[in-house]
Amino acid sequence: MHDAGILKSHNTNGNGKPAKGTLPLVSKEPQKRTIVFVRDIPIGGKQAVVMAGPCSVETREQVNETALAVKRAGAVILRGGAYKPRTSPYEFQGLGVEGLKLLREAGDLAGMPVVTEVMSEEDVEVICDHADMLQIGARNMQNFALLKKVAKTGMPVLLKRGPSATVKEWLASAEYLLHGGNENVVLCERGIKTFDHSLRNTLDLASVALVKEMTHLPIIVDPSHATGKRSLISVCAKAGIAVGADGVIVEVHPRPEEAWSDGDQSLTLGMFADMMENLTGPMRAIFSPQEQFAVA
Ligand code: PEP
Ligand code: MN
């Protein structure tokens, strides 16, 4: 249910603190949109932004090749994980600092700012030294100590929705960042757990529209993690933009079948270029009976 209480959040309960359950900073004047700048790239303005890159940084060649190709196709921010939150400890955990360096190098080569995930408080500093935007991954959305630490950096943050988090819990996590003094917050809907296991997750598109009613913060959609399925990425990216998202973040790999993580949901370089063309193409025309008469 739409939680109207969160919108009426400017009353205090007498002790100077916001009334219980309200989020005054994220819900303040939703119509006055916040634009978050990642270097010179505005997120939340008139134009939607596309962030793209590999799930994991693997090798110099892999990340450089991807960076140049996605930039050529129209992406404006390079993504790539150096610290990977993997379900199993036996899966590839990321290259760490070496991965940060390769990502930075690829971003510089292609002339793009870079976004990468920070999983732990102890890595915040080194990641700030290499990245332009910090991603707080879905699994860490309610890591409050990490949120407080990242807030202090003032760096742009990409705050993913937890797989089982309500919209209000997600916005409460954003409130932590704003309360900690960092207003450069971009939300990211990346699919949630539901009863339906046909796909990796369930892309909650209505939440994107709802979040835009509830907060002034920009929001983007991640169709890669939301679906887990390469063939659905392009249409779901388009749907995200159609419902009001300020951009999308998409996983891309030169050879997805060889990817060290999330290969099934990674687009090839060619598929990414096709997606970009599709995003700028017109929406499907709406059938109108009058027009039918006109052509008859
Ligand atoms: C990722 O971006 O590669 C990632 C692990 O995302 P999420 O936290 O949404 O699962
Ligand atoms: Mn991934």
Side-chain angles (χ1 to χ4, degrees):
M1 197 188 77
H2 189 310
D3 192 342
I6 189 176
L7 299 173
K8 294 195 213 108
S9 54
H10 306 292
N11 304 328
T12 64
N13 56 12
N15 61 6
K17 284 193 181 159
K20 192 169 183 298
T22 60
L23 305 172
L25 302 175
V26 297
S27 61
K28 194 173 151 213
E29 300 184 276
Q31 69 285 1
K32 282 198 194 157
R33 309 299 310 164
T34 288
I35 298 183
V36 172
F37 277 86
V38 181
R39 283 218 238 151
D40 57 340
I41 307 296
I43 307 174
K46 279 211 170 69
Q47 289 162 320
V49 298
V50 176
M51 309 183 190
C55 176
S56 298
V57 174
E58 299 167 4
T59 65
R60 172 174 283 121
E61 294 68 31
Q62 170 245 15
V63 69
N64 284 356
E65 185 181 354
T66 309
L68 292 170
V70 298
K71 164 84 180 198
R72 202 176 317 116
V76 290
I77 296 178
L78 178 66
R79 67 145 288 149
Y83 298 85
K84 297 304 303 176
R86 306 306 301 278
T87 302
S88 160
Y90 305 112
E91 292 170 318
F92 176 56
Q93 304 286 307
L95 295 180
V97 178
E98 187 51 31
L100 292 177
K101 288 184 183 156
L102 292 176
L103 182 69
R104 175 79 273 157
E105 195 181 300
D108 291 346
L109 176 74
M112 281 195 278
V114 301
V115 55
T116 196
E117 174 159 357
V118 54
M119 277 173 52
S120 148
E121 287 167 72
E122 68 202 23
D123 302 326
V124 169
E125 213 173 303
V126 68
I127 295 178
C128 286
D129 288 343
H130 293 84
D132 303 297
M133 183 181 216
L134 306 181
Q135 171 173 318
I136 295 189
R139 294 159 186 83
N140 263 319
M141 187 203 83
Q142 286 189 314
N143 181 339
F144 300 115
L146 182 63
L147 291 167
K148 286 179 187 174
K149 178 127 194 202
V150 165
K152 285 206 194 106
T153 67
M155 291 273 286
V157 184
L158 186 60
L159 179 63
K160 290 195 150 195
R161 180 180 184 180
S164 304
T166 64
V167 166
K168 188 160 181 194
E169 286 164 342
W170 183 20
L171 294 182
S173 291
E175 186 83 10
Y176 264 89
L177 293 166
L178 270 62
H179 179 68
N182 190 346
E183 299 197 333
N184 303 311
V185 178
V186 177
L187 299 160
C188 178
E189 160 58 35
R190 48 75 76 203
I192 51 172
K193 286 193 191 296
T194 67
F195 62 89
D196 190 350
H197 299 158
S198 313
L199 293 169
R200 186 173 180 184
N201 287 295
T202 297
L203 175 55
D204 186 4
L205 282 174
S207 80
V208 178
L210 174 60
V211 159
K212 293 207 74 147
E213 283 186 2
M214 295 172 84
T215 170
H216 51 92
L217 297 172
I219 175 166
I220 67 169
V221 164
D222 174 349
S224 306
H225 293 87
T227 65
K229 192 170 161 63
R230 189 178 305 128
S231 61
L232 301 180
I233 308 300
S234 180
V235 284
C236 290
K238 196 168 182 168
I241 303 291
V243 85
D246 298 296
V248 293
I249 183 165
V250 169
E251 289 184 339
V252 181
H253 195 287
R255 289 160 295 280
E257 66 288 353
E258 293 172 17
W260 297 0
S261 61
D262 285 352
D264 291 347
Q265 66 192 38
S266 297
L267 296 180
T268 62
L269 307 182
M271 286 179 87
F272 179 73
D274 289 346
M275 183 198 88
M276 292 301 288
E277 280 200 16
N278 247 307
L279 279 184
T280 49
M283 300 285 288
R284 186 175 177 185
I286 306 295
F287 171 77
S288 137
Q290 282 84 352
E291 281 175 27
Q292 262 240 324
F293 274 124
V295 290

